[in-house]
Amino acid sequence: VTLAAAVATTDAFRAAGVDGGIKWPNDVLLRRTGGADPDAHESKAAAERGGEKLAGVLTEMEGEADRVSWLVVGIGVNANIDSEALPAGATSLRAVLGGDVDRRRSVIRLLDRVAELGADPDAVLPAWRERAITLGRRVRVETATGDVVGTAVDVEPPGALVIETGDGRVSVHAGDCDHLREA
């Protein structure tokens, strides 16, 4: 569900004219193009994250092995906010587009896309992979049992990041992911 919400958010941004990409598992960042070092003009926080943050997705659930009791998805979007009001490493749709975005239209696009993905759950992982900015990058994921460092190579059900390390492949189900600069 978190991955589907990130795909839907990214698609809504793209429909509004903003090229977003997904940083595993739940951040939508502004995709930068051009130049030898796309992170050179960004803040340290944005460079460590992999781009300037436009939105984040949080999902909470309660359930048992055979059923979900409840599920809540929250999507925080930096829409019509002045850049100066945001923390380092973040930007807004207003700043990128040079004017306000129609929030109503964006929410409708987002909800329509969530419904499409809900009707075809097998499409979520391929869609997430196509929009991912994490795959192919060197990453460090801080987990409860320690850091995992390597190259992000895939995402597998139910949304685990697969990292190629010096000791083989590791699947990470939860953690804070930083994109690392190549040495």
Side-chain angles (χ1 to χ4, degrees):
V1 173
T2 301
L3 301 183
V7 168
T9 303
T10 303
D11 289 354
F13 290 173
R14 288 180 177 182
V18 177
D19 190 15
I22 305 169
K23 180 180 127 330
W24 182 85
N26 60 346
D27 286 340
V28 178
L29 308 180
L30 177 62
R31 212 187 271 255
R32 294 289 187 181
T33 58
D37 183 1
D39 295 333
H41 63 283
E42 296 173 341
S43 71
K44 183 178 185 302
E48 287 174 357
R49 185 179 292 119
E52 293 173 293
K53 187 171 181 175
L54 288 165
V57 178
L58 292 176
T59 307
E60 289 197 30
M61 178 183 86
E62 184 175 293
E64 298 175 24
D66 62 341
R67 68 182 167 90
V68 173
S69 297
W70 55 264
L71 177 77
V72 176
V73 178
I75 303 170
V77 176
N78 298 332
N80 298 329
I81 302 170
D82 291 328
S83 294
E84 301 79 37
L86 294 169
T91 192
S92 69
L93 297 174
R94 173 189 283 166
V96 175
L97 294 171
D100 285 352
V101 65
D102 183 338
R103 291 183 295 182
R104 182 182 155 284
R105 180 176 292 143
S106 294
V107 168
I108 290 169
R109 286 181 184 136
L110 190 152
L111 293 175
D112 284 346
R113 186 64 173 130
V114 166
E116 289 172 13
L117 292 166
D120 186 10
D122 291 337
V124 173
L125 283 179
W128 190 95
R129 286 181 187 110
E130 288 173 12
R131 291 152 184 80
I133 60 174
T134 299
L135 298 181
R137 292 199 59 169
R138 288 200 33 84
V139 297
R140 176 182 50 248
V141 180
E142 297 174 33
T143 72
T145 58
D147 290 356
V148 178
V149 178
T151 301
V153 294
D154 199 8
V155 64
E156 61 187 16
L161 184 65
V162 180
I163 302 171
E164 184 70 48
T165 72
D167 297 324
R169 289 189 173 198
V170 176
S171 294
V172 177
H173 295 271
D176 291 326
C177 179
D178 289 322
H179 292 176
L180 303 175
R181 292 179 186 256
E182 295 297 326

